[in-house]
Amino acid sequence: MEAITTALDSVPIGLANYEKQSIDSLDYLKDNKIYCGDARYLLRRIQPESVALSFWSPPYFVGKSYERTLSFQDWQHLLEQVISLHFPIVKAGGFLVVNIADILSFPDPSMPRIQADNIRNKKAKVTREQVVSAQQAYPEYNRYQLAAILGCSEQTIDRRLKNNNIRGGKYAVQRKVKLVGGLIDEWASRAGFYLYDRRIWVKDPAWENCQWHSLSYRSVDEFEYLYIFWKPGITLVDRNRLREREWGEWGSRAVWYIPSVRANQQHEAQFPIELARRVIRLLSAPNELILDCYVGSGTTAIAAIKEHRRYLGIELLPKYAELACKQCLRAHELEAQCDLGL
Ligand SMILES: C[S@@+](CC[C@H](N)C(=O)[O-])C[C@H]1O[C@@H](n2cnc3c(N)ncnc32)[C@H](O)[C@@H]1O
């Protein structure tokens, strides 16, 4: 087995300089390694037509620490570019699988501030219509004077006039909600891929992360998509990859129920190893090369080791690249022990 190292010194870290680097004189990235650097730079250093399956979960643009500097525009450029850089490196007949939450919510000052009239929280009986008519009758009155006329507090007047923003606090900027699947499909098609399939991963409901559900009719966040893109070419179909029972339970099923990773002390957005194992087992053969260019804590690489595939991981942040590297070493050791029957 080849030694596993991070290449922390050998590649640029950060978003600014990835395009300036000359890659012509550099070697291809090696298998069974985790590299630290920007995917937009390092993907250019992967051997063409070498990757059987690329599986990753990108920054979702939901305010995690590693994406805070990105504008919505930057985020779109990042994903579009990374997808297009995949086309030359994925084998003909191979797959690119993107795991992402299908719905995105981000502050948009240009959007009208829709007011939510939350009936259950109303303690005073005064209605918005009453406040508006009092205001029309006494246009020179401030809210304290209007409160005195209507027999309520000045906060009630303020609340009735402003109410709460439907997707944020009373004074918060409105939040725009957008479907992501269409964007990913558009970028992948532009790159030359074809949408092959999609699966739904049902995870734990994320009540604590949901910023707006109590003031709207929107559901809590509890599933994500896996968009599967195919590069034209012959795809080997091997029905022996899974047992009969596995085909029935998940291989042929569109909806996968897999609990979220709860203890996220090491990385703030890990996906479960079972998710990566299923994708790898379904869409690749033993010893093929699996890529994750947003490898984070190394989940895809570890799943590849367990499933006896080769892997290549790319991660921007040194702390996560180091974590992924350590976890891969551990997984290799465990696999070696298994091979010895220990
Ligand atoms: C959603 S997380 C992936 C988590 C991973 N699937 C796991 O289970 O640990 C996205 C990762 O992409 C990394 N990242 C963000 N921008 C990147 C870039 N331009 N190139 C490479 N990695 C990047 C982040 O640091 C983060 O670890």
Side-chain angles (χ1 to χ4, degrees), residues 138-249:
Y138 305 97
E140 71 288 4
Y141 276 22
N142 62 27
R143 58 180 196 265
Y144 293 90
Q145 292 166 309
L146 292 173
I149 299 178
L150 293 168
C152 62
S153 69
E154 62 81 23
Q155 286 104 319
T156 300
I157 300 292
D158 194 38
R159 256 186 234 120
R160 295 296 179 274
L161 291 175
K162 295 202 178 85
N163 266 319
N164 283 313
N165 192 327
I166 201 161
R167 296 188 194 282
K170 206 191 304 183
Y171 304 106
V173 170
Q174 178 63 289
R175 294 185 75 84
K176 183 154 191 159
V177 177
K178 189 150 180 62
L179 289 179
V180 181
L183 293 174
I184 306 267
D185 184 30
E186 192 185 312
W187 298 329
S189 311
R190 219 178 274 161
F193 290 104
Y194 289 85
L195 185 64
Y196 182 85
D197 196 8
R198 50 85 191 91
R199 308 265 164 149
I200 291 168
W201 163 34
V202 178
K203 55 183 186 175
D204 302 339
W207 295 103
E208 63 285 0
N209 297 339
C210 193
Q211 294 163 349
W212 57 82
H213 62 86
S214 60
L215 268 178
S216 78
Y217 297 112
R218 193 184 172 272
S219 67
V220 68
D221 173 23
E222 58 185 337
F223 70 89
E224 298 191 1
Y225 274 91
L226 273 73
Y227 294 111
I228 305 175
F229 297 100
W230 170 76
K231 176 166 170 175
I234 293 174
T235 302
L236 183 78
V237 176
D238 179 3
R239 296 292 294 183
N240 291 326
R241 274 184 194 165
L242 306 184
R243 294 182 201 98
E244 269 319 302
R245 182 180 54 78
E246 289 173 319
W247 283 112
E249 282 174 4

Side-chain angles (χ1 to χ4, degrees), residues 302-318:
I302 297 161
I305 294 168
K306 288 184 189 296
E307 297 304 334
H308 307 286
R309 271 68 167 170
R310 291 172 294 130
Y311 66 90
L312 223 168
I314 295 175
E315 168 57 47
L316 182 67
L317 298 184

Side-chain angles (χ1 to χ4, degrees), residues 14-15 37-40 56-60 66-67 70 78 82 99 261 267 269-272 292-300 314-317 320:
L15 300 175
D38 194 311
R40 289 168 290 185
W56 42 259
S57 180
Y60 284 17
Y66 50 75
E67 58 187 10
L70 298 179
L78 170 68
V82 161
N99 160 230
V261 176
H267 190 285
Q270 273 170 273
F271 53 45
D292 184 340
C293 63
Y294 295 107
V295 82
S297 61
T299 313
T300 305
I314 295 175
E315 168 57 47
L316 182 67
L317 298 184
Y320 293 148

